[in-house]
Amino acid sequence: MRNVTIVHVAERARVSVKTVSRVVNNEPTVTPDLRERVQAAIDQLGYAPNIAARRLGGSRSFLIVAFNDRKLTLENWASDRGNNWIDRMQYGAMLRCDVHGYHLLCELIDLESDQLARRVQHVLSSLRPDGVILTPPNCEDPTVLEALKRAQVPFVRMGSAAAGPGARVRMDDQAAALRLTEHLVEQGHRRIGFVTGSARFLASHAREDGYRKALAAAGLPVDESLLVPGDFTFEGGVAAAEALLSRPDRPTAILAGNDETALAVMHVARRLDIAIPGDLSLATFDDTPSVRLSLPPLTTVRQPVAEMAAQAVDLLVAAAAKDGKLSRADHLLPFELALRASTAPPP
Amino acid sequence: MRNVTIVHVAERARVSVKTVSRVVNNEPTVTPDLRERVQAAIDQLGYAPNIAARRLGGSRSFLIVAFNDRKLTLENWASDRGNNWIDRMQYGAMLRCDVHGYHLLCELIDLESDQLARRVQHVLSSLRPDGVILTPPNCEDPTVLEALKRAQVPFVRMGSAAAGPGARVRMDDQAAALRLTEHLVEQGHRRIGFVTGSARFLASHAREDGYRKALAAAGLPVDESLLVPGDFTFEGGVAAAEALLSRPDRPTAILAGNDETALAVMHVARRLDIAIPGDLSLATFDDTPSVRLSLPPLTTVRQPVAEMAAQAVDLLVAAAAKDGKLSRADHLLPFELALRASTAPPP
DNA sequence: GTCAATTTGTCCTCAAGTGGACAAATATAA
DNA sequence: TTATATTTGTCCACTTGAGGACAAATTGAC
């Protein structure tokens, strides 16, 4: 492939390079007539502006970075959560990047590394992205936030319940937990266990708040012993479920901190010969494929992860197109309650 | 952050810009003494070469693109396989990219779009990556392969059983299926069903070959009616499992085309009150988290996806560092048999 | 037809490096 | 000491576009 540059397009459309640039960058002062001629030349030649050159000369890089928190060795892979949260995030982000002519770069960071700040700074100064998307738990990490602030890169924190720098895009975790708990209460449950999420994730606390609020609103007391800490892993869920389900006055319903935890609860329930939803109702958060396909399918709150990521990209692109400044807004996206067979009135 | 450029490093280390460049690019003709001084300056200033400038001036872009085949709309998300194959691929690739100072760009393509060739070409000419990683099923797509060839970008096809252009990194699917079938035969199974994978994936055919070979080696006839087509989806798996398990002379063991299919088989077995492994043994491919955590955990072949991706990156980086040419080699990585509770002697 | 407004072109600088030719400085060997 | 090899520096061209200043051409209004 011989390189097709802006000059070739200009020659073909018999206009100046400047005009082609104006068309490519959507500047308003081009007549539809010319614009069309230029576009035709672009299409015919299959021209795409060289992103490196655009970055170097202009003020934008057309790159957005998403940091993923993982250990930086292959061995640690197995311990990584097999969730598809990140996957969904990437998907939503890529879709919008594509629309805007942007590209998504996924970069690994290890929050526990002592090189963390250096790593973030290195990535930013090497790539000079127009924006960064942070996902839990790195959207709460002070080192990361500080590094981003110093680099003056606009960033969006996805799914973070905490106020702080940068824009936020999230669902209302508290409201979601509240709705889910309400649903269980409506079905007649009075003893509702809650395997909380990892304390590292602020969403866990918000969900717990929603749970408490719903009980309070229904005039039900909160039995603290029914709140068992989980950590978003299967193993943690198993331990928590065992604690809840082996007691004589076991709950008639359990709210799991996330899908992984819910699967663990199912696992333990099956072992203990506790039928779902016959003996125990189960509800959870996230709506990953596995809980749609489990037996029975689980009642969950669908977190609009891809949509959140899409909006994050929109915000960053808009900021880059303007002055590179991103307002500190908090964007709440609606969640969806998926009522499935795992919740039913208590026995 | 004021931009730290190569000039600043040069001043600080009191050497020429050229020397800094030599150090950064690991050219051999620099004395350890100087190299160290320059490195110190780099560290102190937190300098990272601007990737856009490097790309523009030099012959490398330090970018590797991974194409993901998905529909380009948010709505289609749900139908996307929730597998973590892509996730694992990305992880392995990112790890190695990091080591080499490279960056991984994930780009969406839609194999069914009539804009496919244009899309691929656009991405390539805009980013000018040093290499491309193709995963199934796009590593067999003639349009994609043609576009890559025309762009003269080195690429690695991961997990493809088909010979063809570009380098290949994969596991031996046929051998894996053979070992798995052997295992079942050793346990005493004679009637072994096989829910084949999607015909779009060549690995499916290789696995079928392995299955046949193992039976032949054991002197067992192949009952063609025990080979039921699946398509790697849960729904397809359910249909196939129903066909296999509802017949009076149902198999005593089933080999599932992938984990998703295996979960579907479990689902149907449970509904039909067929105990695993008591009444039915079940083995599968991929070893995703869900089959490790299922009840019982499933016997699988662990595909070294992350390792394959890591090697793909190594190959591409090496090619870029040399002359940008990638040999057409076929790299086979060892798989791992995970024998778990889902396989046992027949009743 | 003149004036004003808008569109298009010209021309130049700049981004931050690479890469090559070759000279200068330094080290090593004979 | 001289000749030779190696390291380091100098200098310049080159990459591909953005962006700004300003002139030229075109269009529209009156």
Side-chain angles (χ1 to χ4, degrees), chain B residues 16 19 22 30-31 34 56-57:
Chain B
S16 68
T19 300
R22 284 177 179 130
V30 183
T31 51
L34 253 197
L56 209 51

Side-chain angles (χ1 to χ4, degrees), chain A residues 15-16 19 22 30-31 34 56:
Chain A
V15 296
S16 69
T19 300
R22 285 179 178 127
V30 183
T31 52
L34 252 197
L56 208 51

Side-chain angles (χ1 to χ4, degrees), chain A residues 181-192 220 252-253 281 343-347:
Chain A
T181 311
E182 264 179 12
H183 165 66
L184 292 171
V185 169
E186 277 162 16
Q187 294 203 303
H189 294 277
R190 292 295 170 266
R191 296 185 54 69
I192 303 174
L220 294 171
T252 62
S281 283
T343 47

Side-chain angles (χ1 to χ4, degrees), chain B residues 271-302:
Chain B
R271 218 174 47 209
L272 299 179
D273 230 3
I274 297 172
I276 296 176
D279 305 323
L280 179 74
S281 283
L282 181 57
T284 176
F285 299 85
D286 286 358
D287 197 26
T288 48
S290 50
V291 306
R292 277 199 291 275
L293 303 175
S294 67
L295 202 66
L298 304 187
T299 289
T300 62
V301 163
R302 201 179 90 77

Side-chain angles (χ1 to χ4, degrees), chain B residues 154-334:
Chain B
F155 59 96
V156 174
R157 291 181 300 128
M158 262 182 72
S160 168
R168 272 199 291 170
V169 177
R170 59 186 181 115
M171 76 163 191
D172 189 337
D173 278 284
Q174 182 180 315
L178 190 139
R179 286 283 297 114
L180 225 39
T181 310
E182 264 179 12
H183 166 65
L184 292 170
V185 169
E186 277 162 17
Q187 293 204 303
H189 294 277
R190 292 294 168 266
R191 297 186 53 70
I192 302 174
F194 188 8
V195 182
T196 61
S198 165
R200 290 171 70 204
F201 293 75
L202 279 166
S204 307
H205 303 294
R207 289 173 186 179
E208 190 178 322
D209 290 345
Y211 164 84
R212 289 177 186 277
K213 246 188 179 165
L215 290 186
L220 294 171
V222 175
D223 178 348
E224 294 295 338
S225 72
L226 289 180
L227 278 145
V228 182
D231 56 3
F232 283 163
T233 69
F234 190 85
E235 292 74 17
V238 166
E242 278 167 351
L244 276 175
L245 293 178
S246 60
R247 37 193 286 181
D249 58 340
R250 66 163 195 248
T252 62
I254 290 183
L255 204 53
N258 71 343
D259 284 352
E260 192 96 351
T261 305
L263 292 175
V265 173
M266 285 187 84
H267 188 91
V268 171
R270 196 173 305 147
R271 218 174 47 209
L272 299 179
D273 230 3
I274 297 172
I276 296 176
D279 305 323
L280 179 74
S281 283
L282 181 57
T284 176
F285 299 85
D286 286 358
D287 197 26
T288 48
S290 50
V291 306
R292 277 199 291 275
L293 303 175
S294 67
L295 202 66
L298 304 187
T299 289
T300 62
V301 163
R302 201 179 90 77
Q303 199 171 150
V305 180
E307 289 82 354
M308 278 159 36
Q311 176 148 17
V313 168
D314 286 346
L315 288 170
L316 293 172
V317 171
K322 228 176 43 191
D323 52 356
K325 297 285 171 222
L326 187 53
S327 69
R328 220 179 173 182
D330 182 12
H331 304 264
L332 275 184
L333 266 69

